[in-house]
Amino acid sequence: MQWETVIGLEVHVQLATRSKIFSGASTAFGAEPNTQACAVDLGLPGVLPVLNEAAVAMAVKFGLAIHAEIPEVSVFDRKNYFYPDLPKGYQTSQMYQPIVGAGVVEITLEDGTTKPIRVHHAHLEEDAGKSLHEDFHGMTGVDLNRAGTPLLEIVSEPDMRSAKEAAAYLKAIHSIVTYLGISDGNMAEGSMRCDVNVSVRPKDQEAFGTRAEIKNVNSFRFVERAIAFEVERQIELLEDGGKVIQETRLFDPDRDETRSMRTKEEANDYRYFPCPDLLPVVLDQAYIDHLRDNLPELPAEKRARFESELGLSAYDASVLSATREMADYFEEVKDVCGDAKQAANWVQGELAGALNREGLAIADSPVSAHQLGELIARVIDDTINGKAAKQVFQALWNGQGAKADDVIEAQGLKQVTDTGAIEAMIDQVIADSPAQVAQYRDAEPEKRGKMIGYFVGQVMKASRGTANPQQVNQLLKQKLDALC
Amino acid sequence: MHDKTLAELARSLDAGEFSSRELTQHLLGRIDRLDGELNCFITVTFDQALAAADAADKSRAAGKAGPLTGLPLALKDIFCTRDVRTTAGSRMLDNFISPYDATVVEKLATAGTVSLGKTNMDEFAMGSSNENSHYGPVKNPWDLAAVPGGSSGGSAAAVAAGLVPAAIGTDTGGSIRQPAAFCGITGLKPTYGRVSRYGMIAYASSLDQAGPMARTAEDCALLLSAMAGHDLHDSTCVARGVPDYTEELDTPLAGLKIGLPREYFGDGLAPEVEAAMRDAVKAFESLGASVREVSLPHTHYAIPAYYVIAPAEASSNLSRYDGVRFGHRCDSPSDLIDLYKRSRAEGFGDEVKRRILIGTHTLSEGFFDAYYKKAQQVRRLIRQDFLDAFEEVDVLMGPASPTPAFDLGAKKDPVSMYLQDIYTIAINLAGIPGMSVPAGFVGNRPVGLQILGNHFAEARLLNVAHQFQQATDWHRHRPAFAEENA
């Protein structure tokens, strides 16, 4: 049977506010355990929450970025359950009236095509603390530094049909929140985590199959792997005549499998009710308009502009707009060198390769966008040839020179375009290669094209790479053909 | 000294008749002698009180005394106090010392008051007789066989017994007004949002409100002026200017329109209490007020609505007492669930457990709409009843409680205890302010007149109560217990 996969994602994004969503304690990552938890975060008797306006603004910005409706009134609810890292015995969240209504996120697939994924809603809530099970001799330690960190939970519709689409959606969310500057998007530090709802159904069936929810998947790669495993598990189960049960599962990246955590029957009754300690959030239109007017250019808009105004391919536009850092870098390179296509080729080619080799993010590139732009400008104005340009790039990467021009000067890489000088080198090479010249002369005329490569190489070598390759080619051909 | 009102004590301190230290020592002495019998205090802060009195005397000598400087009071043990344990009347918090002061505590300290200690109360403010305290019941100084009312029973009894001239209570369904009535003192529950709840241990967050309990309306006005006001730590505390509540006390009542809710004078009201109410109303008429009957048609839904909403909020508010970070923890738990179960089973008393169970049930999937949502709808209707009534009249009056104080141990059935709050509970649901002022006796047990006003009409309420106290002397009666032990 042909099966179709149906996927919905709940993405939790930690918002980059300085203080917590309901208290003044810092949200900085990595502090000593329990040093960033105040009386409110500890849930001490008598404390009350006060909403952080910055978190509201960030949530609304996200809503505007995905063209969602922003309701005038949203309400915080309590989600009640007991857990040691949940100090109050309830999580303050938004169940019935979330801050962001229905919206759409456009994803780009590998072939460059796009697909809209609907967002059901996004709501604000507080993060819990962390339970630490190691180093406590069989006991559990609790670190409440994270408790009260603002989260935006973005709930998609079940619109994704493959692990690749799910990963693309997660990347699109990542790109939107980092563009907006509302999250650092650092998945390794838990700034973005997601719960994946997966089900399968026969290809032409309309009704959804029973879904399993995979909790707390925290990397793009894990999302794909967890889905791949889960889809296979469900299909196998169904094809063997079994049934998928609605349950919560955990992904184990070490074993590359998902495991049952609890079934629907064991699920908590969270007893949601409106939090009486917080007033409803009422947003006036002027506030929303102000945030809208100050939104940065978003990935989809940038991608469209890269295509239409800069003439980039859909693929290039998508890659170069994927993160704000990437887009900013590319745009500076382009502005300095004046050629979008060259800039795109360099950023995705030489630069991306070097970054990958060293495992660096673009923000940490040793070659600045300005340096790279100047380097490309020297290729465009024929000061250096492509080969030399790569040498210059490597030198800049290694810190051997502050500017491309300095490196070109110091290493004598300036391209030789003087016909007389090139001719002299050609004459020397021809004189030094009688055997090859003889072969060339004896060959069928149509095979000579390939044989010329040897001579080009020799001349380039003689010029230490600085001769203009087109000129070398042209002059060599004339001279060799004259010998035939 | 222990007979005087706050206003009188302030004048004596100003006149140098005695110092705050002398006053404080005198009252601490009385507490030491008498509270063994009454059990008004859970914790008495002898040393801190004397230090605060000395500081007050110093600032008075420096000419920096405000209206409350050097005046002693007591705090219901529901207000978090740094360095002094805060139990909320529960075994759960027997060992709890808050690292911060409640906003009310801070404001009263800033005003120069001297706290003598933390008063007894029904556990987590759940009760109407003070019999639900882990620290034992409080006796009513008017009749040691009677309850003082609850949940602020310790505060009310301490004032009535002359252990302290004033105390701070909290009122979620009548917990200031009913004990004030039972103990023959004056108590005010302000408008919801008038006084910060930060640092006041939550029972039912949408209903809880702190207020003053004292001998006179004037004293309540002095205290409310210091307690009220916006607090950045409490989103439900209203950003609205705080008047000097003593300023309007002397406004004559001529032209005052009083409404008597028909529903507050029906079945279940003791005839002697009703007679006291009628006498009080006559006194107001002689002061120039006009009286008419009004209706609050949804009154009989108030208790059911309250016993859905309050336990629902309580079940969530009390989840933090889990034995993990503070409070009672059972011995050698075998695992996490055992830790939760035993810590909570041992830490909470029966009434608290009952309300947690009720609240957990009404919020459960499948029951939420029928209970919680419906109760919130009823709550809006109750509120509307009052708003409609205040279109017609300035204040409403009626009994604070259907009977005077009942005997200790008399009410074993929780529902009969819940019905005690029949006249007070709707006021919290509506969020309006209400007072109880002494208005007579049934035998040796006091009767309280309840006066209700529209949202933020505290100044008017205090004015009405003060004028009543200028015309009557019920508030000047002292229990024999206090006089014998003078």
Side-chain angles (χ1 to χ4, degrees), chain A residues 39-40 42-51 78 80-90 96 142 144 268-274 276-279, chain B residues 80 93 96 99-100 192 197-201 205-206 232-236 312-313 316-317 319-322 324-326 336 340 344 360 363-365 368 372:
Chain A
V40 174
L42 292 170
L44 289 184
V47 298
L48 295 170
V50 176
L51 179 59
R78 291 185 183 176
N80 295 283
Y81 65 97
F82 286 94
Y83 206 68
D85 60 23
L86 187 72
K88 299 186 295 296
Y90 58 82
Y96 300 107
V142 176
L144 294 176
N268 281 314
D269 178 354
Y270 291 119
R271 308 190 312 280
Y272 285 98
F273 77 107
D277 290 329
L278 289 162
L279 302 176
Chain B
C80 287
L93 292 178
F96 177 66
Y100 73 100
Y192 183 79
R197 293 186 296 115
Y198 189 73
M200 194 175 109
I201 294 179
S205 312
S206 72
L232 293 174
H233 293 299
D234 178 1
S235 319
T236 63
E313 293 180 4
S316 174
N317 284 334
S319 293
R320 70 191 60 196
Y321 308 108
D322 56 6
V324 173
R325 296 166 313 287
F326 50 77
L336 181 62
Y340 286 153
R344 288 168 69 81
T360 303
L363 290 177
S364 300
E365 211 177 330
F368 179 77
Y372 186 83

